[in-house]
Amino acid sequence: MEYGIETRCCHGVTEIVKEHSFGAVSVPIYQTATFAHRGIGESTGHDYTRVSNPTRDELEQTISSLEGALDTVACATGMAAISLVLELFDTGDHLICSEDLYGGSVRVFSAVGERRGLKFTYVNTADAALVEKNIGPDTKALYIETPSNPTMQITDIRAMKALADKYHLLLIVDNTFLSPYFQRPMELGAHIVLHSGTKFLAGHNDTLAGFVCTATEELKERIRYLYKTVGNCLSPFDSYLTLRGIKTLAVRMERQQENAMQIAEWLKKQDKIKQVYYIGLPDHPGYEVNKSQTDGFGSMISFTTDTEETARRILERVNLIVFAESLGGVESLITYPMLQTHSDVPVEVRERLGITECFLRLSVGIEKAEDLIADLRQALE
């Protein structure tokens, strides 16, 4: 029987539960580094936790089920997941990336990828013609975020898939902002899907995790080999915490989206707020494309204030909303991208994208929307 995504969030791959020791409903935490052999050449199916672990296996199979992936590996962080994918490429290989990209991704591409001889071009991937114009003989992959972090640009995944097929490229999609509950890029042709599992998947601001989902047998084998070789695996306890978070992914995402819509509409009416970036607003330039490839809008909002003073006053005066990095948890967080998440992006690029001293990013949680609005109102006054 094919279960809905809400059921799969709650129960995972349901037949696995029947295999839990003593009928445990929650996944047992196999907090062990190694596993005993029953004899020479015999294995229980697990030999060493760097390679595989029963707790992590269940998490990986759950993510594969949600994303529609052939396989998933769970990494220590989202950055570890991105670094693992970089190992697929060789000196001289070229990747075309969304110009509005998480600052940590830009940092690892520059500090690690370029030092290894990889080449990166950043373009507005919402413009398929511009992407195609930048494809060259050394181009090996398209790397996109949609919605992008933090200006919420939308890329047409189907258009990128068409280009990937035409030029024999890998299509890599960072799906952190919407999670598989709202967006499943593999259904649209992505070869690799990445997540910072720290965010919406785990959902409680209490653990770090990352995921690499693969769509083909060849990619599965390559990633699995690199995974055990590099050793950036997720621990059993963090695997448990992430699985526990995923159980409520559906209800959290729905509530957070509901709150975000109310807050975005309120922000648009404020004199001191000059622009609101939320993909659920019909006037967002990517609204129709996003609707065509997702089941929702998520809960990430960015906005621009009238002055730097207003932006700083909001950050210093919010009480309920927490001034902190990260996103996707049950608690609402507000971030100053130019100093926090995107400080490694060149100034001229940040300013061209609109990530200025007046630009703030809000991750909306599950609190009462009216309370969050009241907190923003008093911070603005």
Side-chain angles (χ1 to χ4, degrees):
M1 179 177 177
E2 181 65 28
Y3 293 102
I5 192 168
E6 298 88 348
T7 300
R8 284 178 283 134
C9 285
C10 188
H11 291 274
V13 185
T14 54
E15 59 268 23
I16 290 180
V17 176
K18 298 176 183 178
E19 301 171 5
H20 288 170
S21 300
F22 307 105
V25 174
S26 292
V27 58
I29 304 171
Y30 289 88
Q31 192 65 47
T32 182
T34 191
F35 300 83
H37 294 281
R38 290 169 176 166
I40 297 173
E42 296 183 30
S43 170
T44 61
H46 299 281
D47 301 315
Y48 195 61
T49 282
R50 172 165 48 81
V51 180
S52 66
N53 177 281
T55 311
R56 191 167 70 239
D57 278 5
E58 186 162 332
L59 172 61
E60 291 172 343
Q61 291 179 50
T62 297
I63 295 294
S64 290
S65 173
L66 299 180
E67 277 289 359
L70 177 65
D71 190 43
T72 297
V73 296
C75 301
T77 65
M79 296 310 304
I82 294 171
S83 298
L84 183 64
V85 169
L86 284 185
E87 296 296 329
L88 294 171
F89 302 100
D90 297 319
T91 298
D93 286 350
H94 174 235
L95 289 80
I96 297 176
C97 309
S98 299
E99 63 176 350
D100 180 37
L101 203 62
Y102 168 54
S105 302
V106 175
R107 182 174 62 248
V108 74
F109 292 168
S110 174
V112 178
E114 290 180 2
R115 287 183 59 193
R116 289 182 41 219
L118 304 184
K119 297 175 290 184
F120 301 87
T121 298
Y122 299 91
V123 303
N124 179 5
T125 50
D127 185 343
L130 181 60
V131 173
E132 185 168 21
K133 182 179 179 181
N134 281 274
I135 296 173
D138 297 327
T139 306
K140 303 298 181 183
L142 306 177
Y143 185 105
I144 67 173
E145 279 184 2
T146 183
S148 67
N149 182 1
T151 66
M152 313 300 165
Q153 293 179 5
I154 298 297
T155 297
D156 187 330
I157 298 175
R158 293 183 183 90
M160 294 302 102
K161 171 60 173 173
L163 289 177
D165 287 346
K166 181 177 180 180
Y167 294 98
H168 308 291
L169 309 176
L170 285 178
L171 176 56
I172 305 168
V173 181
D174 186 325
N175 195 29
T176 298
F177 265 24
L178 288 184
S179 88
Y181 181 70
F182 281 139
Q183 179 171 260
R184 292 169 294 282
M186 283 188 174
E187 293 180 357
L188 304 175
H191 301 106
I192 296 174
V193 171
L194 290 163
H195 284 278
S196 173
T198 309
K199 312 304 193 297
F200 288 101
L201 288 169
H204 291 77
N205 292 319
D206 59 3
T207 191
L208 302 176
F211 298 101
V212 181
C213 306
T214 49
T216 68
E217 189 67 36
E218 179 187 0
L219 285 170
K220 169 188 171 180
E221 294 301 321
R222 292 176 68 189
I223 288 292
R224 279 282 170 190
Y225 179 79
L226 291 166
Y227 183 67
K228 74 174 183 179
T229 301
V230 176
N232 54 6
C233 59
L234 189 64
S235 74
F237 185 67
D238 288 321
S239 297
Y240 162 78
L241 285 176
T242 306
L243 268 171
R244 186 180 66 169
I246 290 171
K247 287 180 181 293
T248 60
L249 177 65
V251 291
R252 285 189 285 107
M253 294 297 289
E254 291 287 355
R255 176 59 178 267
Q256 287 169 288
Q257 176 176 257
E258 179 184 335
N259 284 351
M261 185 65 76
Q262 293 183 57
I263 291 169
E265 291 174 346
W266 179 84
L267 284 168
K268 285 194 65 172
K269 299 173 184 177
Q270 307 311 303
D271 292 339
K272 294 181 179 180
I273 305 302
K274 296 307 178 184
Q275 187 169 356
V276 178
Y277 306 77
Y278 180 57
I279 62 173
L281 295 173
D283 61 358
H284 187 284
Y287 179 80
E288 292 299 334
V289 171
N290 183 77
K291 278 186 66 177
S292 75
Q293 64 189 19
T294 73
D295 296 322
F297 309 112
S299 61
M300 296 302 302
I301 303 172
S302 292
F303 57 94
T304 303
T305 60
D306 57 348
T307 65
E308 179 181 357
E309 179 185 6
T310 298
R312 290 180 175 270
R313 184 165 67 248
I314 291 171
L315 294 171
E316 292 171 356
R317 293 184 61 180
V318 286
N319 295 316
L320 181 62
I321 300 168
V322 181
F323 176 23
E325 293 190 40
S326 200
L327 58 99
V330 293
E331 302 92 353
S332 295
L333 304 179
I334 194 165
T335 301
Y336 207 12
M338 75 157 207
L339 293 181
Q340 294 175 292
T341 57
H342 288 69
S343 60
D344 290 299
V345 177
V347 174
E348 64 275 14
V349 176
R350 281 197 286 105
E351 291 186 347
R352 178 169 54 80
L353 292 171
I355 308 171
T356 66
E357 292 83 358
C358 300
F359 186 92
L360 300 176
R361 190 191 72 188
L362 176 63
S363 172
V364 180
I366 66 170
E367 304 96 336
K368 187 177 179 64
E370 290 81 0
D371 292 338
L372 296 171
I373 290 171
D375 193 30
L376 289 168
R377 180 184 292 111
Q378 65 82 28
L380 275 169
E381 291 174 349

